[in-house]
Amino acid sequence: MLDSKSMWMDVFRIVAPAIFLYLWRRRTPRRPPGPKRLPIIGSLLQMPSTSLWEKALEWRRSYGDLVYLENLGKPMLIINSYEAAVELLGDRSSKYSSRPHLVMAIDMEGWGWNLVMAPYDDRLRKGRAYQHRFFNSRETANLLGAQLSEARRAVKNILENPSKYKEEISRLLGGLIMLNVYGHRITSDDRFVKLGVSTVEYVGGTEKYFWLDFFPLLKYLPGWFPGVNFPRVAKEARKVSHALLHEPHDVTKRRFQEGTSKECMTTILLAENTREDGSIFEEDQIREAAASAFAGGVHTTSTAIMTFVLGMLKNPKAQRLGQSEIDRVVGFDRLPTFEDKDNLPYVQAICEEVLRYASVAPLGFPHYSTEDDVYQGYHIPAGTTVMPNQWAMSYNPEVHEEPFAFRPERWLPREDGKETNRVLPHNYSFGFGRRACVGQKWAEHLLFITAATFLATCNIEKEIGNDGKPIEPNDQYGSGFARSLGASKCKITSRSKKVSSLLEAAVFSDFGAKGELEAW
Ligand code: HEM
């Protein structure tokens, strides 16, 4: 028979760990739910190798709007709903507006000047203020006039050479942003545009080296170390980064000082900031703000316009409805302009659907928390990388019926005249709070006018393959943090002789007989 002392000892042995665990759990603040974490490596084994946003939408079913992960001790939070993203990144933006430090991009490749990667500090605030001053003022440098002319010229060139529509769309973006930011009109083989393309490739490529963020000391490995290629990649990228930051700025500054420059973001800011002795106040910030706008705007907006073409191929009925709305409102004697926008709700709905479908930056650009926070009873520690899952907002089947179908009707005002009760994609596709995209309005304007010009003048149709069947369009986006979309095999033809001559006349009047102004 057990004596009572040993019986109590046994009870103690069983109960004590349970009590200890209970008290320990009560002391450790509760993290938001998420996949099982193992000691030390945390959730590392659960991380997919690509498209984390799709996995996070799947996790939403088990864990809800907040999914918490911890990789090698680094906390990460994915926000799966618009409402939670607004509350955390918008309403509590004083805690969530920094950026995580990216070892490959910043320390090794030298992209630290790019404001999109900057921590939330004075330098960033000044740079953003410079960008806002320019991009969100309709008066400066005739932003909308340039968009209208360049969009028309791009569509005319596409009609002449439809198989090169992707190249023409990239040129439209590279050319316009160069013109707006540096007053530089590009040539067909432009060095600055090539620098922009290399920038996207190098910055996008840094994702492969995310492990350096967990083992930052590895950045000191020499390039000759067997099996190690990142120091060589970084060395090449550093040259591109330096060139993009300095070369266009220096050319514009020289022209500005010689009195031969065109009005643009850089010259406006140089004019305002040049002191009597010729020195320039905050020249570094001006340089960084300009180069970051160039780096941030070209690739993203190209993907949106490429998605417009894809949407028209996927849904010919939507294309016909867009065309007939334009025919009704604009008529056949002129081309659409920005003034028509309010009267073209279907074209606007197409643009909303483009933003939803493209999900250009599916996880936004990561925010970083600088203070502890408690949200819905969960503790979110300072130092958490926080990602708004814009993919989940766009592709959640509980919100959007058949999310992989391109359907502008989702965004039309309801028949009873009330606004749709769903959140419009332009409200989340450009990010949140104090880090929201500075080029949003600019990009939305360009998307609208390019879409309206395409609809007024072109038919976009599937190509017929050798087997006599229509060739399905390419809807495979690149898997990077800012997605890209390749061209589809398709036919882009003029809707009528009349619209072709309207387009030619407009381009002639803006660019002359060659359709090309002198590069400068
Ligand atoms: C369809 C086109 C575009 C999309 C979908 C897009 C999307 C985004 C997103 C999601 C962010 C991160 C926001 C956040 O952290 O919460 C961002 C930041 C940024 N975007 Fe855009 N963008 C577009 C066009 C542009 C254009 C045209 C420009 C410049 C003219 C631009 C310049 C920037 C800059 C400089 C930032 C960094 C802001 C910061 O970190 O404070 N973007 N964009």
Side-chain angles (χ1 to χ4, degrees):
M1 212 174 119
L2 284 172
D3 64 33
S4 69
K5 191 174 161 202
S6 61
M7 189 186 82
W8 281 114
M9 283 304 287
D10 286 347
V11 170
F12 180 74
R13 262 189 228 113
I14 293 165
V15 172
I19 294 174
F20 175 76
L21 200 66
Y22 171 76
L23 291 175
W24 184 74
R25 282 224 169 121
R26 273 180 58 117
R27 269 173 54 87
T28 312
R30 208 159 56 116
R31 301 279 192 256
K36 194 170 163 46
R37 300 192 291 277
L38 297 173
I40 303 174
I41 61 169
S43 338
L44 210 56
L45 297 180
Q46 316 271 355
M47 297 290 281
S49 56
T50 58
S51 310
L52 173 58
W53 44 92
E54 289 185 41
K55 187 75 192 164
L57 175 56
E58 237 176 270
W59 281 331
R60 185 179 174 277
R61 267 183 250 130
S62 322
Y63 310 114
D65 286 346
L66 300 186
V67 176
Y68 183 79
L69 301 149
E70 224 172 72
N71 297 321
L72 296 164
K74 292 202 180 228
M76 182 191 276
L77 181 71
I78 302 184
I79 308 177
N80 275 324
S81 79
Y82 170 78
E83 291 72 18
V86 169
E87 274 191 63
L88 290 177
L89 307 182
D91 301 348
R92 303 183 189 190
S93 61
S94 61
K95 296 181 177 175
Y96 289 95
S97 292
S98 207
R99 298 284 194 211
H101 185 81
L102 307 171
V103 172
M104 181 65 171
I106 296 175
D107 298 349
M108 309 249 352
E109 295 194 351
W111 299 109
W113 56 261
N114 192 340
L115 295 184
V116 75
M117 298 183 197
Y120 193 71
D121 58 11
D122 252 17
R123 177 183 141 240
L124 173 88
R125 279 189 286 271
K126 284 193 177 137
R128 278 187 66 100
Y130 282 137
Q131 290 173 331
H132 264 298
R133 269 258 297 95
F134 181 75
F135 279 101
N136 294 321
S137 150
R138 279 175 176 234
E139 287 72 38
T140 44
N142 187 19
L143 291 183
L144 295 188
Q147 287 194 348
L148 183 71
S149 308
E150 296 283 346
R152 287 174 176 176
R153 182 169 67 147
V155 174
K156 176 181 170 286
N157 290 349
I158 289 171
L159 277 171
E160 284 164 10
N161 198 355
S163 63
K164 293 272 184 237
Y165 79 90
K166 179 174 169 55
E167 287 78 357
E168 195 57 49
I169 289 171
S170 301
R171 186 192 138 106
L172 166 66
L173 266 305
L176 252 177
I177 297 196
M178 262 291 152
L179 192 64
N180 285 170
V181 173
Y182 295 111
H184 170 77
R185 197 173 282 286
I186 61 166
T187 54
S188 50
D189 189 29
D190 199 89
R191 161 147 177 86
F192 296 155
V193 171
K194 284 189 190 152
L195 280 176
V197 172
S198 306
T199 297
V200 170
E201 284 166 7
Y202 278 119
V203 174
T206 58
E207 272 177 66
K208 286 201 283 268
Y209 306 102
F210 71 93
W211 45 269
L212 279 168
D213 298 339
F214 298 108
F215 306 105
L217 289 181
L218 293 182
K219 73 182 174 189
Y220 296 112
L221 277 180
W224 50 259
F225 200 83
V228 163
N229 80 334
F230 69 86
R232 263 165 291 141
V233 175
K235 198 170 159 198
E236 288 310 306
R238 206 166 250 284
K239 288 185 209 155
V240 174
S241 162
H242 186 270
L244 186 74
L245 178 62
H246 291 277
E247 284 184 24
H249 176 86
D250 290 348
V251 170
T252 307
K253 182 176 158 189
R254 181 174 44 75
R255 288 176 182 155
F256 171 73
Q257 288 170 340
E258 292 166 355
T260 56
S261 56
K262 305 283 168 198
E263 191 188 48
C264 62
M265 175 178 174
T266 301
T267 59
I268 291 172
L269 297 177
L270 287 178
E272 287 174 0
N273 286 25
T274 301
R275 299 190 184 99
E276 276 185 13
D277 64 0
S279 63
I280 297 159
F281 176 65
E282 292 186 346
E283 186 176 5
D284 285 348
Q285 276 93 343
I286 295 173
R287 202 196 322 263
E288 288 175 359
S292 310
F294 183 62
V298 176
H299 177 73
T300 44
T301 319
S302 299
T303 300
I305 296 178
M306 288 296 290
T307 302
F308 164 78
V309 176
L310 173 65
M312 297 302 93
L313 290 168
K314 283 182 81 88
N315 189 343
K317 189 174 157 217
Q319 183 176 180
R320 277 197 306 280
L321 288 171
Q323 288 171 331
S324 49
E325 184 179 75
I326 293 211
D327 296 347
R328 215 171 44 248
V329 173
V330 178
F332 298 92
D333 297 326
R334 66 178 182 88
L335 295 172
T337 66
F338 287 104
E339 280 68 47
D340 297 311
K341 188 169 180 181
D342 288 346
N343 299 321
L344 296 171
Y346 196 84
V347 179
Q348 289 190 52
I350 289 180
C351 295
E352 287 295 345
E353 183 67 347
V354 162
L355 290 176
R356 184 196 71 82
Y357 196 90
S359 195
V360 175
L363 282 174
F365 203 85
H367 289 226
Y368 187 75
S369 69
T370 44
E371 284 177 45
D372 282 358
D373 195 15
V374 176
Y375 180 67
Q376 294 180 348
Y378 296 117
H379 179 245
I380 300 166
T384 301
T385 295
V386 183
M387 299 195 266
N389 191 358
Q390 300 178 12
W391 173 270
M393 299 169 206
S394 286
Y395 280 82
N396 182 354
E398 289 162 28
V399 180
H400 308 293
E401 206 180 290
E402 291 190 53
F404 288 91
F406 185 89
R407 278 202 204 145
E409 286 73 20
R410 304 176 202 274
W411 311 112
L412 285 176
R414 290 176 2 176
E415 276 178 8
D416 57 11
K418 291 193 181 136
E419 291 267 304
T420 163
N421 53 4
R422 269 171 301 175
V423 182
L424 292 167
H426 78 257
N427 288 321
Y428 59 79
S429 304
F430 295 90
F432 296 88
R434 298 183 193 181
R435 299 310 292 257
C437 176
V438 276
Q440 170 164 5
K441 284 282 162 248
W442 189 95
E444 285 183 73
H445 286 312
L446 184 66
L447 175 59
F448 165 77
I449 203 63
T450 312
T453 308
F454 261 116
L455 288 165
T457 57
C458 304
N459 287 317
I460 303 172
E461 293 161 284
K462 288 180 188 167
E463 188 70 79
I464 304 297
N466 294 337
D467 57 2
K469 292 187 186 143
I471 301 174
E472 283 312 308
N474 168 33
D475 59 3
Q476 295 303 307
Y477 287 83
S479 68
F481 263 66
R483 303 205 303 164
S484 55
L485 178 64
S488 295
K489 275 204 159 42
C490 63
K491 288 190 284 186
I492 304 180
T493 51
S494 169
R495 286 185 67 201
S496 71
K497 278 203 176 126
K498 178 103 194 255
V499 289
S500 287
S501 43
L502 281 176
L503 199 55
E504 270 158 33
V507 174
F508 180 83
S509 116
D510 291 340
F511 295 93
K514 281 199 281 177
E516 186 85 72
L517 294 179
E518 288 294 297
W520 67 71

